[in-house]
Amino acid sequence: MKKLGLSLMAAGGMFLFSQNVQAQVEDPEKVEQMEDVEEVQEVQEDYKKVDVLVLPQAIKDAIMTDLNGAVAEEAWVKEKDGKQIYKLSLNVDGEKQKAYIDKDGNWIKKEDK
């Protein structure tokens, strides 16, 4: 009887252990997604958030003249090659858009940033 009880306890322990080991196996797709998230976070860390109220006047003017009706909702800035590059989150006619601009109000194409 003792052997039967010990056998059942051992079988139960092995079952619980095997379930725990299976739960720790990582899904390759999830690992890839996590790497993508980390890559985006690294890119975001280059930019520092700034208040849209303190944007240079040249940027405010460019938004008003080039994107009539657009509103800057968020802004970030970074230094690149001695220049300040601003990343803007704009609300253009109810749609959110990202745009890049330098401190002089010159729009920057995504591939140039």
Side-chain angles (χ1 to χ4, degrees):
M1 194 64 153
K2 284 183 182 179
K3 289 182 182 180
L4 179 63
L6 289 174
S7 296
L8 289 174
M9 287 176 53
M14 289 191 323
F15 174 76
L16 291 175
F17 176 74
S18 67
Q19 293 299 315
N20 190 24
V21 170
Q22 288 177 357
Q24 292 178 2
V25 174
E26 293 184 14
D27 183 7
E29 288 182 21
K30 288 183 181 179
V31 171
E32 187 174 313
Q33 289 173 351
M34 290 300 294
E35 289 171 355
D36 291 343
V37 168
E38 289 170 359
E39 191 173 305
V40 169
Q41 287 173 343
E42 287 175 13
V43 171
Q44 282 286 27
E45 289 173 4
D46 290 345
Y47 286 92
K48 294 179 183 163
K49 190 166 183 147
V50 295
D51 190 354
V52 293
L53 299 175
V54 298
L55 289 173
Q57 189 61 41
I59 293 176
K60 293 176 185 177
D61 292 343
I63 293 170
M64 291 292 287
T65 57
D66 299 338
L67 302 172
N68 191 19
V71 176
E73 295 181 338
E74 294 182 285
W76 300 268
V77 65
K78 79 172 182 176
E79 285 282 329
K80 183 176 179 184
D81 300 328
K83 294 182 180 181
Q84 288 183 330
I85 305 294
Y86 289 84
K87 179 170 114 174
L88 305 173
S89 175
L90 302 169
N91 184 336
V92 182
D93 297 327
E95 291 185 25
K96 289 197 176 224
Q97 295 181 3
K98 296 278 187 214
Y100 299 89
I101 192 167
D102 67 12
K103 69 176 183 168
D104 298 321
N106 301 313
W107 297 104
I108 301 169
K109 293 180 182 177
K110 190 173 183 178
E111 59 270 2
D112 294 339
K113 69 173 180 67

mmCIF file of all heavy atoms in Angstrom, residues 61-102:
data_model
loop_
_atom_site.group_PDB
_atom_site.id
_atom_site.type_symbol
_atom_site.label_atom_id
_atom_site.label_comp_id
_atom_site.label_asym_id
_atom_site.label_seq_id
_atom_site.Cartn_x
_atom_site.Cartn_y
_atom_site.Cartn_z
ATOM 1 N N ASP A 61 4.545 78.253 -37.408
ATOM 2 C CA ASP A 61 4.168 78.894 -38.668
ATOM 3 C C ASP A 61 4.051 77.879 -39.796
ATOM 4 O O ASP A 61 3.128 77.949 -40.614
ATOM 5 C CB ASP A 61 5.182 79.977 -39.042
ATOM 6 C CG ASP A 61 5.151 81.166 -38.090
ATOM 7 O OD1 ASP A 61 4.156 81.323 -37.345
ATOM 8 O OD2 ASP A 61 6.144 81.930 -38.076
ATOM 9 N N ALA A 62 4.988 76.916 -39.847
ATOM 10 C CA ALA A 62 4.954 75.891 -40.897
ATOM 11 C C ALA A 62 3.695 75.039 -40.783
ATOM 12 O O ALA A 62 3.072 74.698 -41.793
ATOM 13 C CB ALA A 62 6.207 75.016 -40.823
ATOM 14 N N ILE A 63 3.297 74.717 -39.571
ATOM 15 C CA ILE A 63 2.077 73.928 -39.366
ATOM 16 C C ILE A 63 0.868 74.722 -39.845
ATOM 17 O O ILE A 63 -0.006 74.199 -40.535
ATOM 18 C CB ILE A 63 1.921 73.513 -37.886
ATOM 19 C CG1 ILE A 63 3.023 72.530 -37.485
ATOM 20 C CG2 ILE A 63 0.549 72.893 -37.637
ATOM 21 C CD1 ILE A 63 3.097 72.237 -36.003
ATOM 22 N N MET A 64 0.826 76.004 -39.493
ATOM 23 C CA MET A 64 -0.317 76.845 -39.872
ATOM 24 C C MET A 64 -0.408 77.042 -41.388
ATOM 25 O O MET A 64 -1.497 76.986 -41.955
ATOM 26 C CB MET A 64 -0.207 78.212 -39.186
ATOM 27 C CG MET A 64 -0.408 78.156 -37.687
ATOM 28 S SD MET A 64 -2.083 77.734 -37.239
ATOM 29 C CE MET A 64 -2.909 79.244 -37.637
ATOM 30 N N THR A 65 0.726 77.274 -42.032
ATOM 31 C CA THR A 65 0.688 77.579 -43.474
ATOM 32 C C THR A 65 0.625 76.318 -44.342
ATOM 33 O O THR A 65 -0.116 76.283 -45.321
ATOM 34 C CB THR A 65 1.911 78.427 -43.897
ATOM 35 O OG1 THR A 65 3.105 77.723 -43.554
ATOM 36 C CG2 THR A 65 1.888 79.778 -43.236
ATOM 37 N N ASP A 66 1.383 75.290 -43.986
ATOM 38 C CA ASP A 66 1.463 74.097 -44.836
ATOM 39 C C ASP A 66 0.368 73.082 -44.552
ATOM 40 O O ASP A 66 -0.041 72.338 -45.445
ATOM 41 C CB ASP A 66 2.828 73.436 -44.688
ATOM 42 C CG ASP A 66 3.965 74.356 -45.121
ATOM 43 O OD1 ASP A 66 3.711 75.296 -45.889
ATOM 44 O OD2 ASP A 66 5.110 74.120 -44.679
ATOM 45 N N LEU A 67 -0.057 73.006 -43.315
ATOM 46 C CA LEU A 67 -1.062 72.017 -42.920
ATOM 47 C C LEU A 67 -2.256 72.740 -42.308
ATOM 48 O O LEU A 67 -2.558 72.589 -41.116
ATOM 49 C CB LEU A 67 -0.472 71.023 -41.910
ATOM 50 C CG LEU A 67 0.759 70.249 -42.364
ATOM 51 C CD1 LEU A 67 1.353 69.462 -41.217
ATOM 52 C CD2 LEU A 67 0.416 69.326 -43.517
ATOM 53 N N ASN A 68 -2.928 73.514 -43.114
ATOM 54 C CA ASN A 68 -4.035 74.334 -42.643
ATOM 55 C C ASN A 68 -5.034 73.503 -41.835
ATOM 56 O O ASN A 68 -5.543 72.500 -42.305
ATOM 57 C CB ASN A 68 -4.735 74.983 -43.832
ATOM 58 C CG ASN A 68 -5.726 76.048 -43.388
ATOM 59 O OD1 ASN A 68 -5.665 76.544 -42.272
ATOM 60 N ND2 ASN A 68 -6.633 76.397 -44.281
ATOM 61 N N GLY A 69 -5.256 73.897 -40.627
ATOM 62 C CA GLY A 69 -6.206 73.201 -39.766
ATOM 63 C C GLY A 69 -5.589 72.116 -38.911
ATOM 64 O O GLY A 69 -6.277 71.489 -38.116
ATOM 65 N N ALA A 70 -4.306 71.881 -39.042
ATOM 66 C CA ALA A 70 -3.649 70.842 -38.237
ATOM 67 C C ALA A 70 -3.342 71.382 -36.845
ATOM 68 O O ALA A 70 -3.123 72.575 -36.651
ATOM 69 C CB ALA A 70 -2.360 70.389 -38.903
ATOM 70 N N VAL A 71 -3.334 70.470 -35.876
ATOM 71 C CA VAL A 71 -3.021 70.818 -34.500
ATOM 72 C C VAL A 71 -1.934 69.868 -34.005
ATOM 73 O O VAL A 71 -2.073 68.649 -34.119
ATOM 74 C CB VAL A 71 -4.273 70.682 -33.595
ATOM 75 C CG1 VAL A 71 -3.934 70.958 -32.142
ATOM 76 C CG2 VAL A 71 -5.383 71.597 -34.077
ATOM 77 N N ALA A 72 -0.863 70.433 -33.463
ATOM 78 C CA ALA A 72 0.200 69.606 -32.881
ATOM 79 C C ALA A 72 -0.267 69.148 -31.505
ATOM 80 O O ALA A 72 -0.541 69.963 -30.634
ATOM 81 C CB ALA A 72 1.493 70.396 -32.784
ATOM 82 N N GLU A 73 -0.373 67.833 -31.322
ATOM 83 C CA GLU A 73 -0.835 67.285 -30.048
ATOM 84 C C GLU A 73 0.322 66.880 -29.143
ATOM 85 O O GLU A 73 0.234 67.000 -27.932
ATOM 86 C CB GLU A 73 -1.754 66.091 -30.291
ATOM 87 C CG GLU A 73 -3.041 66.486 -30.989
ATOM 88 C CD GLU A 73 -3.967 65.311 -31.222
ATOM 89 O OE1 GLU A 73 -3.496 64.152 -31.240
ATOM 90 O OE2 GLU A 73 -5.167 65.558 -31.388
ATOM 91 N N GLU A 74 1.397 66.374 -29.736
ATOM 92 C CA GLU A 74 2.579 65.969 -28.981
ATOM 93 C C GLU A 74 3.814 66.311 -29.795
ATOM 94 O O GLU A 74 3.753 66.373 -31.024
ATOM 95 C CB GLU A 74 2.572 64.465 -28.690
ATOM 96 C CG GLU A 74 1.474 64.014 -27.756
ATOM 97 C CD GLU A 74 1.555 62.521 -27.484
ATOM 98 O OE1 GLU A 74 1.174 61.751 -28.386
ATOM 99 O OE2 GLU A 74 2.018 62.153 -26.397
ATOM 100 N N ALA A 75 4.931 66.503 -29.090
ATOM 101 C CA ALA A 75 6.173 66.824 -29.796
ATOM 102 C C ALA A 75 7.354 66.220 -29.046
ATOM 103 O O ALA A 75 7.346 66.120 -27.817
ATOM 104 C CB ALA A 75 6.338 68.336 -29.909
ATOM 105 N N TRP A 76 8.359 65.814 -29.827
ATOM 106 C CA TRP A 76 9.603 65.279 -29.296
ATOM 107 C C TRP A 76 10.747 65.937 -30.049
ATOM 108 O O TRP A 76 10.578 66.348 -31.200
ATOM 109 C CB TRP A 76 9.674 63.769 -29.488
ATOM 110 C CG TRP A 76 8.578 63.014 -28.814
ATOM 111 C CD1 TRP A 76 8.593 62.473 -27.563
ATOM 112 C CD2 TRP A 76 7.295 62.696 -29.357
ATOM 113 N NE1 TRP A 76 7.399 61.838 -27.300
ATOM 114 C CE2 TRP A 76 6.570 61.974 -28.389
ATOM 115 C CE3 TRP A 76 6.671 62.976 -30.576
ATOM 116 C CZ2 TRP A 76 5.288 61.510 -28.590
ATOM 117 C CZ3 TRP A 76 5.372 62.520 -30.780
ATOM 118 C CH2 TRP A 76 4.703 61.783 -29.794
ATOM 119 N N VAL A 77 11.915 66.001 -29.444
ATOM 120 C CA VAL A 77 13.069 66.613 -30.099
ATOM 121 C C VAL A 77 14.297 65.751 -29.865
ATOM 122 O O VAL A 77 14.408 65.070 -28.841
ATOM 123 C CB VAL A 77 13.307 68.060 -29.594
ATOM 124 C CG1 VAL A 77 13.682 68.070 -28.128
ATOM 125 C CG2 VAL A 77 14.359 68.767 -30.430
ATOM 126 N N LYS A 78 15.217 65.780 -30.850
ATOM 127 C CA LYS A 78 16.506 65.111 -30.686
ATOM 128 C C LYS A 78 17.555 65.889 -31.466
ATOM 129 O O LYS A 78 17.239 66.641 -32.395
ATOM 130 C CB LYS A 78 16.462 63.656 -31.130
ATOM 131 C CG LYS A 78 16.540 63.437 -32.626
ATOM 132 C CD LYS A 78 16.689 61.960 -32.946
ATOM 133 C CE LYS A 78 16.811 61.732 -34.436
ATOM 134 N NZ LYS A 78 17.045 60.337 -34.747
ATOM 135 N N GLU A 79 18.793 65.706 -31.075
ATOM 136 C CA GLU A 79 19.932 66.314 -31.770
ATOM 137 C C GLU A 79 20.465 65.300 -32.770
ATOM 138 O O GLU A 79 20.693 64.153 -32.441
ATOM 139 C CB GLU A 79 21.050 66.646 -30.780
ATOM 140 C CG GLU A 79 20.796 67.849 -29.925
ATOM 141 C CD GLU A 79 21.043 69.169 -30.650
ATOM 142 O OE1 GLU A 79 21.911 69.222 -31.544
ATOM 143 O OE2 GLU A 79 20.346 70.134 -30.324
ATOM 144 N N LYS A 80 20.668 65.755 -34.013
ATOM 145 C CA LYS A 80 21.269 64.887 -35.026
ATOM 146 C C LYS A 80 22.153 65.752 -35.906
ATOM 147 O O LYS A 80 21.685 66.716 -36.512
ATOM 148 C CB LYS A 80 20.195 64.201 -35.868
ATOM 149 C CG LYS A 80 20.780 63.248 -36.887
ATOM 150 C CD LYS A 80 19.710 62.513 -37.648
ATOM 151 C CE LYS A 80 20.386 61.599 -38.650
ATOM 152 N NZ LYS A 80 19.409 60.920 -39.487
ATOM 153 N N ASP A 81 23.415 65.415 -35.937
ATOM 154 C CA ASP A 81 24.394 66.150 -36.748
ATOM 155 C C ASP A 81 24.382 67.640 -36.408
ATOM 156 O O ASP A 81 24.476 68.494 -37.288
ATOM 157 C CB ASP A 81 24.131 65.950 -38.247
ATOM 158 C CG ASP A 81 24.210 64.484 -38.660
ATOM 159 O OD1 ASP A 81 24.996 63.740 -38.043
ATOM 160 O OD2 ASP A 81 23.482 64.090 -39.594
ATOM 161 N N GLY A 82 24.221 67.964 -35.132
ATOM 162 C CA GLY A 82 24.230 69.351 -34.688
ATOM 163 C C GLY A 82 22.938 70.105 -34.964
ATOM 164 O O GLY A 82 22.871 71.301 -34.741
ATOM 165 N N LYS A 83 21.916 69.418 -35.459
ATOM 166 C CA LYS A 83 20.630 70.053 -35.745
ATOM 167 C C LYS A 83 19.568 69.472 -34.833
ATOM 168 O O LYS A 83 19.643 68.310 -34.434
ATOM 169 C CB LYS A 83 20.211 69.812 -37.202
ATOM 170 C CG LYS A 83 21.101 70.454 -38.219
ATOM 171 C CD LYS A 83 20.562 70.178 -39.604
ATOM 172 C CE LYS A 83 21.443 70.813 -40.671
ATOM 173 N NZ LYS A 83 20.916 70.569 -42.012
ATOM 174 N N GLN A 84 18.580 70.282 -34.522
ATOM 175 C CA GLN A 84 17.449 69.805 -33.744
ATOM 176 C C GLN A 84 16.362 69.318 -34.696
ATOM 177 O O GLN A 84 15.916 70.057 -35.566
ATOM 178 C CB GLN A 84 16.892 70.915 -32.858
ATOM 179 C CG GLN A 84 17.787 71.256 -31.698
ATOM 180 C CD GLN A 84 17.163 72.310 -30.811
ATOM 181 O OE1 GLN A 84 16.406 73.142 -31.275
ATOM 182 N NE2 GLN A 84 17.496 72.265 -29.538
ATOM 183 N N ILE A 85 15.973 68.061 -34.515
ATOM 184 C CA ILE A 85 14.923 67.457 -35.315
ATOM 185 C C ILE A 85 13.721 67.252 -34.391
ATOM 186 O O ILE A 85 13.844 66.672 -33.314
ATOM 187 C CB ILE A 85 15.359 66.098 -35.890
ATOM 188 C CG1 ILE A 85 16.668 66.220 -36.676
ATOM 189 C CG2 ILE A 85 14.242 65.483 -36.732
ATOM 190 C CD1 ILE A 85 16.583 67.045 -37.916
ATOM 191 N N TYR A 86 12.564 67.717 -34.839
ATOM 192 C CA TYR A 86 11.335 67.569 -34.062
ATOM 193 C C TYR A 86 10.450 66.518 -34.707
ATOM 194 O O TYR A 86 10.285 66.491 -35.927
ATOM 195 C CB TYR A 86 10.571 68.892 -33.992
ATOM 196 C CG TYR A 86 11.244 69.920 -33.120
ATOM 197 C CD1 TYR A 86 12.264 70.732 -33.610
ATOM 198 C CD2 TYR A 86 10.868 70.067 -31.792
ATOM 199 C CE1 TYR A 86 12.888 71.664 -32.806
ATOM 200 C CE2 TYR A 86 11.486 71.006 -30.982
ATOM 201 C CZ TYR A 86 12.489 71.801 -31.495
ATOM 202 O OH TYR A 86 13.108 72.716 -30.684
ATOM 203 N N LYS A 87 9.902 65.648 -33.869
ATOM 204 C CA LYS A 87 8.915 64.664 -34.307
ATOM 205 C C LYS A 87 7.592 65.142 -33.739
ATOM 206 O O LYS A 87 7.473 65.384 -32.530
ATOM 207 C CB LYS A 87 9.279 63.288 -33.779
ATOM 208 C CG LYS A 87 8.294 62.197 -34.170
ATOM 209 C CD LYS A 87 8.858 60.839 -33.826
ATOM 210 C CE LYS A 87 8.042 60.201 -32.761
ATOM 211 N NZ LYS A 87 8.440 58.832 -32.472
ATOM 212 N N LEU A 88 6.600 65.297 -34.597
ATOM 213 C CA LEU A 88 5.314 65.829 -34.175
ATOM 214 C C LEU A 88 4.209 64.803 -34.369
ATOM 215 O O LEU A 88 4.186 64.086 -35.369
ATOM 216 C CB LEU A 88 4.965 67.080 -34.985
ATOM 217 C CG LEU A 88 5.983 68.216 -34.991
ATOM 218 C CD1 LEU A 88 5.546 69.290 -35.969
ATOM 219 C CD2 LEU A 88 6.175 68.779 -33.606
ATOM 220 N N SER A 89 3.299 64.768 -33.428
ATOM 221 C CA SER A 89 2.066 64.012 -33.581
ATOM 222 C C SER A 89 0.996 65.055 -33.874
ATOM 223 O O SER A 89 0.682 65.888 -33.031
ATOM 224 C CB SER A 89 1.738 63.237 -32.302
ATOM 225 O OG SER A 89 0.487 62.607 -32.434
ATOM 226 N N LEU A 90 0.476 65.009 -35.095
ATOM 227 C CA LEU A 90 -0.463 66.025 -35.559
ATOM 228 C C LEU A 90 -1.865 65.454 -35.701
ATOM 229 O O LEU A 90 -2.040 64.289 -36.063
ATOM 230 C CB LEU A 90 -0.015 66.584 -36.909
ATOM 231 C CG LEU A 90 1.367 67.210 -36.966
ATOM 232 C CD1 LEU A 90 1.770 67.464 -38.411
ATOM 233 C CD2 LEU A 90 1.400 68.495 -36.165
ATOM 234 N N ASN A 91 -2.838 66.294 -35.443
ATOM 235 C CA ASN A 91 -4.227 65.954 -35.705
ATOM 236 C C ASN A 91 -4.626 66.773 -36.929
ATOM 237 O O ASN A 91 -4.786 67.984 -36.840
ATOM 238 C CB ASN A 91 -5.099 66.291 -34.504
ATOM 239 C CG ASN A 91 -6.543 65.873 -34.694
ATOM 240 O OD1 ASN A 91 -7.019 65.740 -35.805
ATOM 241 N ND2 ASN A 91 -7.235 65.688 -33.595
ATOM 242 N N VAL A 92 -4.759 66.099 -38.069
ATOM 243 C CA VAL A 92 -5.107 66.765 -39.324
ATOM 244 C C VAL A 92 -6.503 66.295 -39.725
ATOM 245 O O VAL A 92 -6.686 65.156 -40.138
ATOM 246 C CB VAL A 92 -4.086 66.435 -40.444
ATOM 247 C CG1 VAL A 92 -4.432 67.184 -41.720
ATOM 248 C CG2 VAL A 92 -2.676 66.750 -39.989
ATOM 249 N N ASP A 93 -7.467 67.171 -39.565
ATOM 250 C CA ASP A 93 -8.863 66.865 -39.902
ATOM 251 C C ASP A 93 -9.340 65.578 -39.227
ATOM 252 O O ASP A 93 -9.968 64.733 -39.852
ATOM 253 C CB ASP A 93 -9.056 66.771 -41.423
ATOM 254 C CG ASP A 93 -8.757 68.092 -42.127
ATOM 255 O OD1 ASP A 93 -9.016 69.158 -41.511
ATOM 256 O OD2 ASP A 93 -8.257 68.060 -43.260
ATOM 257 N N GLY A 94 -8.998 65.407 -37.970
ATOM 258 C CA GLY A 94 -9.442 64.252 -37.194
ATOM 259 C C GLY A 94 -8.576 63.014 -37.339
ATOM 260 O O GLY A 94 -8.835 62.006 -36.697
ATOM 261 N N GLU A 95 -7.560 63.056 -38.187
ATOM 262 C CA GLU A 95 -6.660 61.917 -38.359
ATOM 263 C C GLU A 95 -5.308 62.230 -37.742
ATOM 264 O O GLU A 95 -4.780 63.323 -37.909
ATOM 265 C CB GLU A 95 -6.457 61.614 -39.846
ATOM 266 C CG GLU A 95 -7.681 61.071 -40.530
ATOM 267 C CD GLU A 95 -7.396 60.684 -41.970
ATOM 268 O OE1 GLU A 95 -6.225 60.386 -42.292
ATOM 269 O OE2 GLU A 95 -8.345 60.691 -42.771
ATOM 270 N N LYS A 96 -4.742 61.242 -37.050
ATOM 271 C CA LYS A 96 -3.418 61.419 -36.449
ATOM 272 C C LYS A 96 -2.348 61.120 -37.483
ATOM 273 O O LYS A 96 -2.450 60.148 -38.225
ATOM 274 C CB LYS A 96 -3.244 60.516 -35.243
ATOM 275 C CG LYS A 96 -4.074 60.958 -34.071
ATOM 276 C CD LYS A 96 -3.585 60.331 -32.795
ATOM 277 C CE LYS A 96 -4.403 60.896 -31.663
ATOM 278 N NZ LYS A 96 -3.638 61.243 -30.532
ATOM 279 N N GLN A 97 -1.343 61.999 -37.518
ATOM 280 C CA GLN A 97 -0.223 61.810 -38.430
ATOM 281 C C GLN A 97 1.060 62.148 -37.700
ATOM 282 O O GLN A 97 1.062 62.962 -36.778
ATOM 283 C CB GLN A 97 -0.358 62.732 -39.649
ATOM 284 C CG GLN A 97 -1.536 62.431 -40.515
ATOM 285 C CD GLN A 97 -1.595 63.364 -41.724
ATOM 286 O OE1 GLN A 97 -0.722 64.189 -41.935
ATOM 287 N NE2 GLN A 97 -2.640 63.227 -42.514
ATOM 288 N N LYS A 98 2.140 61.512 -38.123
ATOM 289 C CA LYS A 98 3.472 61.835 -37.607
ATOM 290 C C LYS A 98 4.192 62.650 -38.665
ATOM 291 O O LYS A 98 4.066 62.386 -39.853
ATOM 292 C CB LYS A 98 4.285 60.570 -37.306
ATOM 293 C CG LYS A 98 3.713 59.701 -36.220
ATOM 294 C CD LYS A 98 4.091 60.218 -34.872
ATOM 295 C CE LYS A 98 3.632 59.212 -33.818
ATOM 296 N NZ LYS A 98 3.221 59.815 -32.621
ATOM 297 N N ALA A 99 4.935 63.644 -38.212
ATOM 298 C CA ALA A 99 5.703 64.466 -39.139
ATOM 299 C C ALA A 99 7.019 64.839 -38.484
ATOM 300 O O ALA A 99 7.122 64.903 -37.252
ATOM 301 C CB ALA A 99 4.920 65.723 -39.507
ATOM 302 N N TYR A 100 8.017 65.091 -39.310
ATOM 303 C CA TYR A 100 9.340 65.487 -38.839
ATOM 304 C C TYR A 100 9.677 66.846 -39.438
ATOM 305 O O TYR A 100 9.416 67.102 -40.617
ATOM 306 C CB TYR A 100 10.382 64.438 -39.248
ATOM 307 C CG TYR A 100 10.092 63.086 -38.648
ATOM 308 C CD1 TYR A 100 9.277 62.172 -39.313
ATOM 309 C CD2 TYR A 100 10.615 62.727 -37.415
ATOM 310 C CE1 TYR A 100 8.995 60.934 -38.753
ATOM 311 C CE2 TYR A 100 10.341 61.500 -36.858
ATOM 312 C CZ TYR A 100 9.535 60.608 -37.529
ATOM 313 O OH TYR A 100 9.249 59.385 -36.976
ATOM 314 N N ILE A 101 10.264 67.696 -38.602
ATOM 315 C CA ILE A 101 10.553 69.058 -39.023
ATOM 316 C C ILE A 101 11.779 69.555 -38.275
ATOM 317 O O ILE A 101 12.027 69.128 -37.140
ATOM 318 C CB ILE A 101 9.314 69.959 -38.770
ATOM 319 C CG1 ILE A 101 9.449 71.312 -39.441
ATOM 320 C CG2 ILE A 101 9.013 70.082 -37.293
ATOM 321 C CD1 ILE A 101 8.146 72.108 -39.482
ATOM 322 N N ASP A 102 12.551 70.438 -38.901
ATOM 323 C CA ASP A 102 13.692 70.995 -38.170
ATOM 324 C C ASP A 102 13.260 72.287 -37.466
ATOM 325 O O ASP A 102 12.122 72.741 -37.623
ATOM 326 C CB ASP A 102 14.903 71.211 -39.088
ATOM 327 C CG ASP A 102 14.690 72.279 -40.139
ATOM 328 O OD1 ASP A 102 13.703 73.050 -40.060
ATOM 329 O OD2 ASP A 102 15.519 72.362 -41.058
#
